[in-house]
Amino acid sequence: MVKTNAATRKKTSDDLTQPIIQAIRPIPNFPRQGILFRDITPLLANPKLLRLTIDLMAAPFIKLKPECVVGIESRGFLLASAIAYHLNCGVVPIRKKGKLPAATYAESYDLEYGQDTLEIHQDAFKKGRRVLIVDDVIATGGTALAAARLAQKAKGQVLGFSFLIELAALSGRQKLDHQKIHALIRY
Ligand code: AMP
C-alpha cells in the first residue's frame, strides 16, 4: 500500500534545501557597494546542515565516478575536501596567484567584483583523471571557467561542476560547456 500522508511522504528537494537557504546570510554591500554577498559561514558551522549540503552537492556525481575533486580558493576548499571524502576522491586546490609552491599553470579571469588570476600545479593529475570542480558560488562564471581551463591544462578530464549557490541572473552557467552543472540553490 502506498503511504500518502504528509508525515511519511518523501521529502522533495525544496523541503531539503529550505533550511540550507535559511542558514545562508545575505550581507549587503560586501566586499563593495552594490554586491549582495552570500555568507555561508553560518551554514558551515551547523553540523546537520553541513552534512546535508555535502551529501546533496555530491549525490548527482556519484554515478560519474570522479577520481578527483578540485576546490577553488577559498570557500571552495571548505566544500571540496568534504565532497572528495564523500565520493572517495582525492582533492586538488586551485589557488590565487603565487600561493602554490611547485610549477603552475595560470589563468586570468573577470570576477563579479574585479579581476584575478588562478593557478593549478602542473602535475596535479595523472593524464585523463576524472575531475569534479567545486565552488561555493557561481556568479558570472568567470572563476569556474578559469578553473575548468586550468584542470584541462593539467590534463584532467572535467566531468562537471557542483556549486552550492547559483546567481542565476548573471547567467554564469552559459559560459560553461561541460556535461553536468549542478547548483543546490538558485537565487
Ligand atoms: P564569478 O567568477 O563571477 O562566477 O564569481 C564566483 C566567485 O566569486 C566564487 O568563488 C565566489 O566565492 C565569489 N562570489 C561572487 N559573487 C559572490 C556573492 N554574491 N556572494 C559570495 N561570493 C561571491
Side-chain angles (χ1 to χ4, degrees), residues 7 15 38-39 47 77 85 103 108 127 131 138 144 166 171 178 187:
D15 292 334
R38 304 291 176 173
D39 177 20
F77 293 167
Y85 182 86
S108 294
K127 193 167 182 231
V131 172
I138 178 169
E166 176 178 7
S171 305
H178 289 85
Y187 292 107

Side-chain angles (χ1 to χ4, degrees), residues 35-39 72-73 75 109-113 135-144 167:
I35 302 291
L36 183 62
F37 189 85
R38 304 291 176 173
D39 177 20
I72 306 174
E73 185 166 2
R75 288 176 299 279
Y109 65 105
D110 292 322
L111 274 177
E112 190 187 2
Y113 38 83
D135 205 0
D136 62 335
V137 175
I138 178 169
T140 65
T143 308
L167 305 181

Side-chain angles (χ1 to χ4, degrees), residues 74-91:
S74 57
R75 288 176 299 279
F77 293 167
L78 298 166
L79 301 165
S81 52
I83 291 170
Y85 182 86
H86 185 98
L87 293 173
N88 204 23
C89 289
V91 65

Side-chain angles (χ1 to χ4, degrees), residues 111-154:
L111 274 177
E112 190 187 2
Y113 38 83
Q115 231 226 353
D116 224 333
T117 300
L118 290 176
E119 294 182 337
I120 194 169
H121 274 148
Q122 290 184 5
D123 62 355
F125 315 116
K126 287 193 185 126
K127 193 167 182 231
R129 189 120 297 193
R130 298 167 66 78
V131 172
L132 168 64
I133 296 176
V134 167
D135 205 0
D136 62 335
V137 175
I138 178 169
T140 65
T143 308
L145 178 61
R149 286 184 174 153
L150 286 171
Q152 283 159 350
K153 278 184 183 172

